[in-house]
Every structure is written in C-alpha cells, then in structure tokens.
Amino acid sequence: MLKIAIQAKGRLNEDCVGLLGDSGITISGGGRKLMSRAHGFPMEVLYLRDDDIPMAVAMGVADIGIVGLNEIEEKKTDVDISMPLGFGVCRLSLAVPKNADYTGLDWFDGKRIATSYPHILTEFLKSNNIHAGINEIAGSVELAPAIGLSDAIFDIVSSGGTLVQNGLVEVETVLQSEAVLICNKNLDSDKLDELEHLKFRFGSIIGSRGMKYVLMNIPQASIAKALEVLPSMKSPTLLPLAAEGWYSLHTVIAEAELWDKIEQLKAVGAEDILVLQLENIIK
Ligand code: PRT
Ligand code: ZN
C-alpha cells in the first residue's frame, strides 16, 4: 500500500487535501494525527513539515510526497519528480531595497543577501560569477534589510505584496516553483502500478481545472463558423434538435477564454448558451 507524505499544516496542506478529495480520496483525522488511512484508494497519509518531506521520501519512510519544487531544489534530495500539480505556484527571487541604485546582477558583488535557500542562491551566484555574502535565516527574511542584517534578500514571492510592504523590489527571478508529486527511486512494481493509478486520477483533475463545459443551440448554417472559433479535445459534439435546421453543440472551453469565445459564438448565431462546471476530463 502506498504511503504519501503531505504537509501537516501550512500553505500546501489545503490544496493537497483538496486534490486528493477531488480524486475521490478522503482522509480522516486531518493534520492532528501523524498518520491516517485514506478512503477511496489503498493509501496511508503521513503528515509532516514540508522541510522533512523530501528526505522522508528519499529514505522510503514515505513512498511518495507532495512538496514545493523549491524544497527539492534546495535540499538536492535524491527523489524522482513524478508530476507538477499546478498549485503552490511561486518563485524564488532576489529583491533589493526600492531606493537602491540597482543596475544589474553586478550590484550584488560584495553585498550580503539574507535567505532561507542558501544552496539555490549559492549555485545561482556561482554560475553568474557574483561574489556575495549569504546570511542564512529561518524566517521573516523580508525584514533583514530594514534591520541591517543584509543588503538584499532571496526569498519566495507569490503576489509580491510582502516585498512592497517591506520597501523591497524584485529584481531577478531565479526559480519558478509549484507543488510537485515526488516518489522514492526504488518503488517495487506493485507500488509503481498504484502510483500510475494515482497519477491518472491527479492528471484528470488537474487537466479539468479551469475548464468549462459549454452547450448551445446553433442553426446549421452557422456550424462551420462556430467550429473555427472553438477549441476542442477532438471535435465538438453536434446533436440535431427536434426543430428543423437546428443543432445542440457541446464543447469544452478554458475559463480564461470563455467570455471571448461566447461573444464570438453569439456573433455567428449561437443561442441559449449554457456554461457548466466540469468535474473531470478522463482521457
Ligand atoms: O510548517 P512547515 O515547515 O511545513 O511550513 P513552512 O512554513 O515552511 O512553509 P509554508 O506553509 O509557508 O509554505 C509551503 C510551500 O508553499 C513553500 O515551500 C512554497 O513551495 C509554497 N508557497 C507558495 C509559498 C508561497 N506561495 C508564499 N507566498 N511559501 C511561502 N510564501 C511566503 C514567502 O515566504 C513570503 O514570506 O509568502 C510571502 C510572500 O508572499 P506574497 O504573496 O506576499 O508575495
Ligand atoms: Zn517548512
């Protein structure tokens, strides 16, 4: 039976539990226990701090885990990355005080940079031939320049709000990160098989996120024009209506382009357009 390590509490916990839940896998007890049994899939869930998940998976304490790519890159743990999961999206960036006369990477030469990600930063500085001091601190990195602990910071940025609040500006992005599914490198064939089943469920859920199922009535004469507008997995479904010369057209549209497409479809003659929540795309 697979054992999955997820963050006990923190930013990734809710999305992990959400992804499992959408995949038909519920867990009882939540983060209050160290371990619990999943329902809907033969799996045990281990709740850990995110920092400990890469090592736990590398050592086989857990077979698989969900953690930010930033943690994997920092710890250089020997695990396989199975799939990106589309949540926990952030970046690791260098930021300087907003009044600094930043001219380019050379600015960092001889400066001190505070971070919780010393290994990623060391590699980046080395590959760019920059000689800067690194102050490793565990938390509240963004406060370091204001209290004189460093000249700049290297930290996780998501909306950028924290940098603005602390009078800092992002000047270089070093790593794009998101939550990833990781696995131990020596899983036996039974566990690899179970992992494939799990990845299939995750893939269906992730692929359907942000997609809408759209139905509309359309006169036969407009179908060719509508098909030019529509993206679709293969080709949209067309069903004849009882009314002569009319069809019901069904398709899937990404949320980001939904209103654009709807306007174009209306312009070519589509009517009675229904937009439905899409739960799952199983390919
Ligand atoms: O207790 P535990 O050790 O498990 O958790 P933690 O406190 O170490 O980590 P946690 O829960 O804060 O973050 C877990 C993971 O979420 C990180 O490793 C990233 O992969 C991911 N993630 C996504 C983020 C953010 N977005 C994020 N915005 N992690 C941290 N932040 C912090 C960042 O450090 C900074 O202080 O949010 C602030 C910046 O946010 P913005 O939106 O103001 O730019
Ligand atoms: Zn942590």
Side-chain angles (χ1 to χ4, degrees), residues 145-201:
I147 59 173
L149 209 59
S150 70
D151 302 300
I153 68 162
F154 177 61
D155 198 14
I156 292 180
V157 183
S158 174
S159 67
T162 305
L163 293 183
V164 173
Q165 275 167 24
N166 289 283
L168 299 165
V169 279
E170 185 177 1
V171 288
E172 303 285 337
T173 299
V174 174
L175 178 80
Q176 292 287 352
S177 181
E178 67 184 282
V180 289
L181 179 67
I182 56 169
C183 69
N184 178 276
K185 286 196 157 172
N186 303 306
L187 294 185
D188 63 29
S189 61
D190 283 351
K191 285 188 172 174
L192 282 173
D193 195 42
E194 287 169 14
L195 176 60
E196 281 313 307
H197 287 274
L198 188 68
K199 283 171 67 177
F200 176 73
R201 291 199 196 184

